[in-house]
């Protein structure tokens, strides 16, 4: 899978990942690159710096293992290598994720828990996450609670409408809507895309769609798109391409 998210003020986030099934175990590896450029950088006194180039360059490499037990319990763990360069202030830190997913009612009800960025909490923002999802052939409802060490408890929920391939024959289509109680970020500028669709004053709604087909030259191909209106900061866009072979 290859993905790219274009945030605000020149912030870009790109990632590539690969999964290899090994019986009931899955091995995963990924690389992620977060960068920022074109920032109006100033001192504490407001004096602009004469600086061009990348203000921030962060790399993350991960190795993951996950396994299914008894057909209803998934357990997984990830080791991370984090290399940060934020305006020439460099940090290198390891971190770990652990998680579990319980599948009930023939996979219709899913319960999940995750410990994220476990390590030095002064260097990486550790978090605890818990979620629940209810699946049917035509829709999925999901909710999540998350608590970072440096933030209050946040919550979110989402709805995915599935259009299965037995209806459109060539692919499965998804339409997605999400809500997350992040901080308000003001109002979008006149003429912005978010303002034209009536989301100029929200930073809590996300929208997206995706499709997956197993009939593309004998391979499985999926494309996902998401957008996040964020008031005065602008709108973030993410696209991901998945190839299964």
């Amino acid at each position: 899978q290859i993905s790219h998210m274009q945030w605000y003020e020149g912030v870009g986030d790109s990632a590539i990942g690969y999964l290899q099934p090994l019986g009931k175990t899955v091995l995963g590896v990924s690389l992620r690159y977060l960068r920022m450029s074109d920032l109006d950088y100033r001192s504490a006194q407001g004096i602009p710096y004469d600086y061009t180039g990348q203000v921030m360059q962060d790399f993350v490499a991960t190795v993951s293992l996950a396994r299914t037990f008894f057909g209803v319990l998934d357990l997984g763990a990830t080791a991370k290598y984090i290399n940060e360069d934020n305006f020439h202030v460099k940090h290198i830190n390891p971190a770990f994720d652990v998680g579990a997913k319980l599948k009930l009612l023939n996979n219709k009800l899913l319960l999940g828990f995750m410990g994220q960025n476990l390590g030095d909490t002064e260097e990486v923002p550790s978090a605890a996450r818990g979620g629940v999802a209810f699946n049917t052939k035509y829709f999925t409802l999901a909710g999540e609670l998350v608590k970072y060490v440096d933030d209050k408890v946040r919550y979110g929920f989402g709805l995915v409408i599935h259009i299965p391939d037995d209806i459109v024959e060539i692919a499965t289509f998804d339409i997605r809507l999400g809500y997350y109680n992040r901080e308000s970020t003001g109002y979008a500028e006149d003429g912005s895309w978010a303002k034209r669709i009536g989301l100029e004053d929200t930073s809590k709604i996300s929208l997206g769609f995706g499709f997956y087909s197993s009939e593309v030259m004998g391979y499985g191909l999926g494309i996902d798109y998401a957008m996040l209106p964020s008031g005065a900061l602008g709108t973030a866009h993410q696209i991901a391409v998945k190839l299964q072979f």
Side-chain angles (χ1 to χ4, degrees):
Q1 175 175 304
I2 299 174
S3 67
H4 175 73
M5 172 169 273
Q6 190 60 46
W7 287 89
Y8 334 104
E9 301 295 338
V11 177
D13 183 1
S14 301
I16 183 170
Y18 174 76
L19 295 177
Q20 177 61 53
L22 302 169
K24 293 184 178 180
T25 301
V26 177
L27 171 67
V29 294
S30 71
L31 294 172
R32 187 174 179 180
Y33 175 40
L34 180 68
R35 63 220 177 266
M36 175 186 287
S37 59
D38 304 325
L39 181 68
D40 183 12
Y41 195 80
R42 296 173 179 267
S43 69
Q45 292 75 35
I47 301 173
Y49 281 90
D50 184 16
Y51 178 79
T52 58
Q54 300 288 345
V55 177
M56 177 180 68
Q57 296 186 87
D58 296 345
F59 297 89
V60 180
T62 72
V63 177
S64 304
L65 278 175
R67 183 175 176 84
T68 297
F69 296 89
F70 314 112
V72 297
L73 177 64
D74 295 342
L75 298 177
T78 296
K80 300 178 180 180
Y81 170 82
I82 304 171
N83 188 322
E84 299 177 280
D85 183 353
N86 300 323
F87 200 66
H88 309 303
V89 178
K90 299 183 178 182
H91 300 276
I92 296 177
N93 293 286
F96 302 91
D97 299 341
V98 294
K101 180 173 68 176
L102 184 62
K103 298 175 284 188
L104 304 172
L105 303 178
N106 196 25
N107 289 339
K108 289 185 177 180
L109 180 63
L110 306 177
L111 303 175
F113 173 80
M114 178 182 182
Q116 184 179 14
N117 293 334
L118 305 178
D120 188 345
T121 57
E122 295 184 358
E123 297 292 337
V124 292
S126 299
R129 316 179 78 106
V132 59
F134 180 73
N135 291 317
T136 73
K137 182 178 180 179
Y138 297 106
F139 69 89
T140 297
L141 286 171
E144 181 191 48
L145 289 174
V146 56
K147 176 64 175 73
Y148 282 92
V149 294
D150 56 355
D151 194 14
K152 65 181 182 180
V153 175
R154 303 281 183 179
Y155 62 88
F157 53 87
L159 169 66
V160 182
I161 299 174
H162 308 297
I163 306 175
D165 55 6
D166 58 358
I167 294 179
V168 294
E169 296 186 354
I170 60 172
T172 297
F173 289 87
D174 290 334
I175 301 171
R176 305 181 180 109
L177 173 66
Y179 175 89
Y180 187 77
N181 72 324
R182 59 177 56 86
E183 299 292 343
S184 176
T185 51
Y187 288 82
E189 296 179 355
D190 290 339
S192 68
W193 195 89
K195 187 174 180 64
R196 288 197 294 269
I197 64 173
L199 296 176
E200 69 273 15
D201 61 343
T202 182
S203 57
K204 299 176 172 62
I205 300 295
S206 58
L207 307 168
F209 63 86
F211 81 89
Y212 176 81
S213 175
S214 60
E215 302 179 6
V216 181
M217 296 181 292
Y219 296 98
L221 176 66
I223 297 178
D224 294 288
Y225 169 78
M227 62 163 290
L228 174 62
S230 296
L233 293 178
T235 300
H237 303 270
Q238 183 176 30
I239 188 168
V241 179
K242 298 175 287 187
L243 180 64
Q244 184 177 13
F245 51 89

